[in-house]
Amino acid sequence: MSSGTATTMNSECEGGTRFIDSSIALLIRLAALLLVLAMPFQISAQSAQTADEQLVEAQFGLISTVSTERHQAFWLVHNRHGWFDEGSANFLGRAAVRKRLQEEGRTSWGAGATFLARGAGHSTGYFHEAWLEGRYEFLTLEAGLREQTHGTTFESLTSGSTGLSRNASPLPRIAIAVRQFTPVPYTAGWLEVRGHFSHGWMTGNRIIRDTFLHDKSFYLQTGGETGLKFYVGLIHFAEWGGVTAEGREFPASFQDFLRVVTADEGDDRAHGIDRANALGAHTGVWDWGLKASLGEAELNLYYQHLFTDNSGLVYRNWRDGLYGVAVSNPFGTDLVTAILWEFLYTKHQTGPGLTDPMPGDSPWFCEEVNPNCGYRYNGRDDYYNNGVYLDGWSHRSRALGSPLFLTQVQLDRVRPGIDTYSDRFFTSTRVVAHHVGLEGWLHPALSYRALTTWSRHYGTYWGLNLGEPWGSLDPTNDPES
């Protein structure tokens, strides 16, 4: 794959999923049943309050997407939690109900469920969400299917977090979290923390089935009540365990879980790649940001640094990441309530050098004493792809992170027969993109949102050179020049 460009505009919608696996269905049905049983009591208890104070909310909506092409407009069907089929027109009905957590008091509980019915090329109906949660002081425990993201962006206008975005359908998880920034004792409010720790299950038809997802985060924020806040966070995701099509079971004991949590290498039961590196398929994000109050406006600056191994963890791929600037209420008018610009750059990936020493790392066009053609090892990070877990950082065929990382299926819809010389799930991970978003109100009853993106795709390092193991037939040709 060489390069190409795409420019896209917005709307309100997204791509689909099928029924959840039977192993998780009982948990989801239980959550939905408990919600239904609890609803009458909550509605009755809150009947004397105003609408804004009620804890129970219900929504119903009908949404459609149409296109004259073989694919839908990009932002119609991406970053919508997997609602829509991106390969056909859609007509979708959505019904949702939830009980919100109370902010007051030491304890509270909440629950929610969403049912989607979609008419499209792949029609379906299913419980998209079904979850329960409980709070004690600042700690929250939740279980079930629930839409969520990890990685701080300006949510309504962003192109998507490089960690966990709104692009794919939710997966069943159990999590404990400190959701809001909470002051650290004895710091007079100048130091705040938040984070989460979660265990989940990948669902759908995957090459390695029955895999687990471990994810966690930890954030620090400082600034107090000055109106200027700086934060930094570290997010870690890892897919692990599972069974191959041939019936081979990958390590999935509690000891293996601890190895995954700490990103340690596997033992003799693990795949060869996982014995040489960390057990499982790992993805991480350094999440930096600054928030400043400017009168009635608020400025948000953020940078997400993506990594898949130690080289990225220590910023050897420092060029790569998502850079964002967003301003809320920039002009003090309802006509434009927020504006955003983002720049996504992922071309470097610690360079074109091979990941590890291996046969063929000194090709004929390099000097024998110059392995890897002079490049450092630990290159070709190939974000979201993995050599063992071949579905990569995806769920039900959608990128869990930025939707601007494209798959072969997506490329075939736009350019049928295009040859990328890559067998990876994501055939374009080296991306340069500019993204602009704008939202506001045209009338008290009519809001708008506009998104436009220009992107250029450079495939993958593995797809260069007609699929040859080494990245360039000409070692003087620097892919970053």
Side-chain angles (χ1 to χ4, degrees):
M1 178 179 179
S2 56
S3 66
T5 62
T7 303
T8 52
M9 292 296 290
N10 93 304
S11 191
E12 295 275 53
C13 314
E14 193 159 309
T17 64
R18 292 180 292 274
F19 282 95
I20 57 175
D21 294 333
S22 58
S23 61
I24 308 301
L26 182 60
L27 173 64
I28 307 308
R29 290 169 184 159
L30 176 60
L33 177 60
L34 288 175
L35 176 62
V36 170
L37 291 175
M39 279 172 50
F41 300 101
Q42 292 300 323
I43 293 174
S44 174
Q46 300 297 325
S47 59
Q49 297 184 355
T50 66
D52 289 339
E53 293 173 325
Q54 286 184 352
L55 297 177
V56 175
E57 302 170 340
Q59 296 177 338
F60 176 78
L62 298 174
I63 311 171
S64 65
T65 71
V66 294
S67 174
T68 58
E69 304 293 334
R70 299 175 65 248
H71 54 90
Q72 301 293 291
F74 195 84
W75 294 121
L76 275 174
V77 295
H78 291 84
N79 276 347
R80 297 297 183 272
H81 293 292
W83 287 6
F84 294 96
D85 183 349
E86 60 181 299
S88 72
N90 294 263
F91 184 78
L92 182 133
R94 175 179 178 269
V97 62
R98 70 170 182 170
K99 176 194 175 295
R100 296 182 290 114
L101 289 173
Q102 287 180 305
E103 295 182 2
E104 299 80 16
R106 299 185 68 185
T107 63
S108 181
W109 70 275
T114 301
F115 186 83
L116 297 181
R118 184 182 69 226
H122 296 90
S123 298
T124 186
Y126 61 101
F127 272 102
H128 179 73
E129 291 185 291
W131 48 269
L132 291 168
E133 63 180 344
R135 177 183 61 80
Y136 178 76
E137 298 287 0
F138 55 83
L139 281 177
T140 301
L141 178 67
E142 68 176 52
L145 284 167
R146 189 176 192 180
E147 296 178 351
Q148 56 188 279
T149 64
H150 290 302
T152 307
T153 58
F154 197 85
E155 197 62 32
S156 62
L157 297 177
T158 181
S159 63
S161 169
T162 57
L164 180 64
S165 72
R166 296 177 296 150
N167 191 53
S169 59
L171 52 93
R173 306 198 301 177
I174 299 173
I176 186 169
V178 179
R179 289 182 181 166
Q180 306 299 325
F181 276 111
T182 302
V184 175
Y186 309 112
T187 64
W190 276 88
L191 186 62
E192 300 172 291
V193 298
R194 69 175 174 90
H196 82 284
F197 190 95
S198 171
H199 176 76
W201 295 262
M202 292 289 199
T203 64
N205 296 321
R206 301 182 69 82
I207 298 173
I208 307 295
R209 67 179 191 275
D210 302 331
T211 57
F212 304 120
L213 175 65
H214 163 72
D215 62 284
K216 59 181 177 290
S217 67
F218 181 74
Y219 282 79
L220 289 173
Q221 177 173 273
T222 186
E225 302 298 326
T226 63
L228 182 66
K229 292 182 180 292
F230 171 78
Y231 66 84
V232 59
L234 181 61
I235 316 170
H236 175 217
F237 307 95
E239 183 180 5
W240 64 289
V243 182
T244 68
E246 296 78 24
R248 177 182 177 181
E249 297 184 4
F250 288 135
S253 68
F254 180 72
Q255 187 63 39
D256 297 315
F257 169 71
L258 296 180
R259 291 189 177 100
V260 170
V261 171
T262 56
D264 284 341
E265 67 273 8
D267 59 19
D268 292 340
R269 298 168 298 135
H271 189 282
I273 295 176
D274 289 353
R275 292 198 299 270
N277 300 287
L279 181 64
H282 295 256
T283 295
V285 174
W286 279 107
D287 194 5
W288 301 83
L290 181 72
K291 296 182 179 181
S293 296
L294 306 173
E296 295 182 356
E298 181 176 87
L299 172 68
N300 290 267
L301 304 175
Y302 52 90
Y303 167 56
Q304 293 184 357
H305 176 77
L306 186 63
F307 63 88
T308 59
D309 58 17
N310 285 333
S311 65
L313 182 66
V314 296
Y315 286 84
R316 277 180 49 190
N317 60 339
W318 60 268
R319 303 167 180 82
D320 293 350
L322 176 70
Y323 306 77
V325 180
V327 183
S328 301
N329 196 28
F331 309 116
T333 173
D334 288 342
L335 184 60
V336 179
T337 57
I339 188 169
L340 168 143
W341 170 77
E342 288 181 340
F343 175 60
L344 177 68
Y345 185 93
T346 62
K347 274 184 65 181
H348 184 252
Q349 301 192 9
T350 322
L354 297 175
T355 54
D356 299 292
M358 61 182 69
D361 64 359
S362 299
W364 61 268
F365 49 83
C366 291
E367 298 178 12
E368 226 175 278
V369 296
N370 191 17
N372 220 10
C373 286
Y375 292 102
R376 299 172 70 177
Y377 289 104
N378 294 116
R380 305 190 185 193
D381 293 333
D382 204 12
Y383 309 125
Y384 296 177
N385 282 322
N386 186 263
V388 177
Y389 295 89
L390 299 179
D391 289 291
W393 186 230
S394 73
H395 186 234
R396 296 184 178 270
S397 301
R398 291 292 189 95
L400 282 163
S402 173
L404 297 177
F405 286 52
L406 302 182
T407 68
Q408 186 68 52
V409 173
Q410 290 174 305
L411 292 173
D412 285 341
R413 291 196 184 103
V414 180
R415 292 180 59 185
I418 185 173
D419 198 343
T420 60
Y421 304 103
S422 174
D423 60 355
R424 301 300 172 106
F425 183 84
F426 292 95
T427 53
S428 180
T429 64
R430 302 180 67 223
V431 183
V432 178
H434 294 270
H435 174 79
V436 176
L438 187 73
E439 66 183 358
W441 292 85
L442 300 176
H443 183 272
L446 181 63
S447 64
Y448 74 92
R449 178 171 57 169
L451 308 174
T452 184
T453 301
W454 176 93
S455 62
R456 174 161 289 170
H457 295 265
Y458 296 82
T460 68
Y461 278 123
W462 297 104
L464 289 174
N465 197 33
L466 306 182
E468 292 297 317
W470 218 88
S472 172
L473 286 176
D474 179 6
T476 62
N477 177 22
D478 182 0
E480 289 301 311
S481 62

